[in-house]
Amino acid sequence: MSRSAHPAGPRHADVLPEGHYTAPPTDLNALDSKVWAQTVTRTTDGVVSVGGIDVKKLAEEFGTPAYFIDEADFRARARAWRTAFGDDADVFYAGKAFLSRAVVRWLHEEGLNLDVCSGGELTTALSAGMPADRIAFHGNNKSTEEITEAISRGVGRIVLDSFQEIVRVAHIAESLGRRQRVQIRVTVGVEAHTHEFIATAHEDQKFGIGLADGQAAEAVRRALALDGLELIGIHSHIGSQIFDMAGFEVAARRVVKLLAEIRDEHGVELPEIDLGGGLGIAYTSEDDPSEPHEIAKALHEIVTRECESAKLRTPRISVEPGRAIVGPTAFTLYEVGTIKPLDGLRTYVSVDGGMSDNIRTALYDAEYTVSLVSRVSDAEPMLVRVVGKHCESGDIVVRDAFLPADLAPGDLIAVPATGAYCRSMASNYNHALRPPVVAVRDGEARVIVRRETEEDLLRLDVG
Ligand code: LLP
């Protein structure tokens, strides 16, 4: 995943190692709007602010490490997806990216639906007032309890992921006197260009039912034969952090082909298709994500075209963006601790969090940027690796980045684009206390997920 090596730089110029970086930015104080939330800006005194509040004040009030989410930006992105897809399509926000009750309320108010994949996510959604019929329930190994809860609460759809589940959901629905709306998740055989662990449409993995070998057609046969199920459509999710629309186009084409086969065999035209989530965001200035309206246009066009040629009514499309909505809206604020220059290599900057608040770098070799946010500096750039305080050498937050050479303990630095899959994948490794999520909007900051406390840790430890 290495980018080009740095050609020559102002500091350690002759000794810079190979790495995941390009040349140092010309202005280390500049904030690239591609990777920072919309209201993030540097105030005249050089401190970075979000939602009208500067990060020094935020750090004083809420401590570090902490995630700050730009509520206006979140709402704007949610709305942009909703508007782009229009009234004849549905946008389901993927709650796994980040879910809290405040977020559920924002989504509800902005007219989005919600995709959940566990009993915990379902409970959070329902407890914050998301109407059950606007919830889709996912997962490759849903428990009997989860299925029972989902059906009895009236979720809008369950996405079936295996042959056993087809029977299990039908059986539970019947025993509750219900007919559950379901989709069948198929694997369309697309190799998405992303990290292996977040690609989900090739055949050799745990999700979905294979299209190519006729298993999906067989799953449809079985689902249509069961009274407890109302089969409303086919679902495909090809992976995550994808920039190339080609994978979605192939997926759409194959799903529409299946719809045509279903029509030919059973005489039914399924009314819906879901093309999943997975649209990439900018983690660094190198990334160029598409806008929701471009994505909506491309997907509508391909589905309409394929349906016309198969003489099918165009089904209602749904999509499930998670990262693309919440990812860019938050940053993690850290306080700089020890600074260790390794001659000829790079400078290790330790922060007060680490892999317990952002596992993505260790897990997927993810790339992030970082900026000094508590002041400006005109010092020359220094190649750094931002690391956490955990007992692992792989505890890396930002593998390669440039910070000013006068960086000192006590400075605040921030990593942008940490809204998705950071708090939601946070852990208590080394009994770290998971950081709070603070929503900032129009000069007001409010905790939406509080910081964990040592009492929280001890409460679970009942031995
Ligand atoms: N729909 C389904 C069925 C999914 O499995 C996922 C993500 C999404 C939608 C939302 O995908 P998004 O738009 O957020 O990319 N932890 C990994 C990502 C795992 C994604 C799992 N499924 C990461 O941090 O990159």
Side-chain angles (χ1 to χ4, degrees):
M1 285 183 73
S2 169
R3 299 209 200 113
S4 59
H6 174 234
R11 191 165 196 260
H12 307 311
D14 46 344
V15 289
L16 279 171
E18 284 280 321
H20 293 224
Y21 53 91
T22 51
T26 41
D27 179 3
L28 279 180
N29 299 313
L31 300 168
D32 183 351
S33 62
K34 249 198 210 178
V35 296
W36 290 92
Q38 272 169 22
T39 72
V40 170
T41 175
R42 222 177 253 281
T43 56
T44 43
D45 57 2
V47 182
V48 167
S49 73
V50 56
I53 311 183
D54 85 50
V55 293
K56 280 172 134 174
K57 290 207 187 85
L58 291 171
E60 243 164 63
E61 187 171 350
F62 302 103
T64 55
Y67 307 98
F68 293 95
I69 184 165
D70 181 342
E71 180 181 339
D73 192 13
F74 184 101
R75 286 177 179 273
R77 287 176 198 272
R79 215 175 302 135
W81 277 85
R82 183 79 203 88
T83 313
F85 277 84
D87 290 337
D88 54 355
D90 297 299
V91 180
F92 287 75
Y93 168 80
K96 66 205 82 181
F98 172 64
L99 196 66
S100 78
R101 291 199 273 196
V103 160
V104 173
R105 286 191 291 270
W106 301 343
L107 292 165
H108 189 189
E109 285 164 16
E110 301 298 340
L112 274 74
N113 300 352
L114 183 62
D115 138 13
V116 301
C117 64
S118 71
E121 288 183 359
L122 179 61
T123 299
T124 303
L126 291 171
S127 76
M130 180 61 83
D133 63 356
R134 285 174 43 193
I135 298 176
F137 194 63
H138 274 277
N140 67 302
N141 189 23
K142 306 171 190 76
S143 70
T144 301
E145 292 74 22
E146 287 173 325
I147 295 169
T148 307
E149 177 71 4
I151 297 176
S152 36
R153 298 298 294 266
V155 301
R157 64 169 75 149
I158 294 181
V159 181
L160 301 172
D161 199 272
S162 67
F163 282 99
Q164 284 100 330
E165 202 173 78
I166 293 173
V167 177
R168 198 177 305 145
V169 170
H171 178 76
I172 296 172
E174 275 188 64
S175 70
L176 292 167
R178 300 283 180 92
R179 189 146 189 261
Q180 178 61 45
R181 288 160 61 85
V182 295
Q183 293 189 339
I184 292 176
R185 176 165 174 177
V186 301
T187 40
V188 293
V190 172
E191 293 285 344
H193 296 278
T194 188
H195 192 281
E196 179 194 348
F197 292 174
I198 51 177
T200 54
H202 53 297
E203 264 124 28
D204 186 4
Q205 44 91 23
K206 69 172 183 169
F207 293 109
I209 300 177
L211 200 56
D213 55 4
Q215 295 287 298
E218 177 57 21
V220 168
R221 253 168 241 135
R222 294 194 196 173
L224 285 173
L226 290 164
D227 289 340
L229 306 181
E230 179 189 350
L231 181 62
I232 57 166
I234 301 296
H235 181 285
S236 155
H237 171 73
I238 60 171
S240 222
Q241 185 59 5
I242 297 167
F243 291 100
D244 186 356
M245 288 303 291
F248 291 96
E249 296 202 1
V250 176
R253 201 169 303 134
R254 294 188 182 163
V255 168
V256 171
K257 186 161 172 274
L258 177 63
L259 291 189
E261 287 163 10
I262 296 168
R263 186 252 340 256
D264 296 344
E265 182 178 341
H266 304 281
V268 279
E269 292 195 22
L270 298 184
E272 295 187 16
I273 63 173
D274 189 307
L275 294 170
L279 281 311
I281 62 162
Y283 283 103
T284 73
S285 302
E286 314 276 294
D287 298 325
D288 279 309
S290 305
E291 294 293 323
H293 66 89
E294 296 165 333
I295 296 159
K297 186 165 176 280
L299 292 182
H300 273 123
E301 274 174 12
I302 178 84
V303 173
T304 310
R305 190 168 67 233
E306 293 299 311
C307 286
E308 269 167 17
S309 79
K311 300 199 168 38
L312 276 171
R313 259 196 317 275
T314 306
R316 190 173 177 86
I317 299 175
S318 51
V319 286
E320 299 170 337
R323 186 192 321 263
I325 292 178
V326 70
T329 68
F331 60 83
T332 315
L333 188 65
Y334 300 102
E335 185 179 303
V336 172
T338 55
I339 298 178
K340 210 179 270 184
L342 298 190
D343 223 12
L345 289 171
R346 68 196 91 237
T347 297
Y348 279 77
V349 174
S350 294
V351 293
D352 47 358
M355 64 195 298
S356 54
D357 58 71
N358 186 352
I359 190 67
R360 299 195 66 261
T361 308
L363 200 52
Y364 316 117
D365 214 7
E367 294 187 28
Y368 285 93
T369 60
V370 59
S371 291
L372 172 60
V373 290
S374 48
R375 61 184 173 90
V376 283
S377 164
D378 54 11
E380 57 190 30
M382 124 179 113
L383 178 63
V384 299
R385 177 159 290 174
V386 179
V387 295
K389 56 183 289 174
H390 296 282
C391 303
E392 303 252 352
S393 47
D395 174 22
I396 297 168
V397 180
V398 185
R399 190 173 301 280
D400 293 298
F402 290 90
L403 284 172
D406 64 352
L407 192 76
D411 278 332
L412 297 175
I413 60 176
V415 176
T418 58
Y421 305 109
C422 287
R423 181 59 181 79
S424 69
M425 293 174 80
S427 78
N428 289 119
Y429 184 38
N430 297 140
H431 282 202
L433 305 171
R434 285 177 294 177
V437 182
V438 180
V440 192
R441 184 187 181 186
D442 297 335
E444 276 176 35
R446 111 192 129 90
V447 175
I448 59 171
V449 179
R450 73 159 167 80
R451 185 183 301 283
E452 246 169 352
T453 61
E454 289 181 352
E455 293 78 67
D456 291 327
L457 293 182
L458 293 177
R459 199 170 300 142
L460 298 178
D461 185 336
V462 294

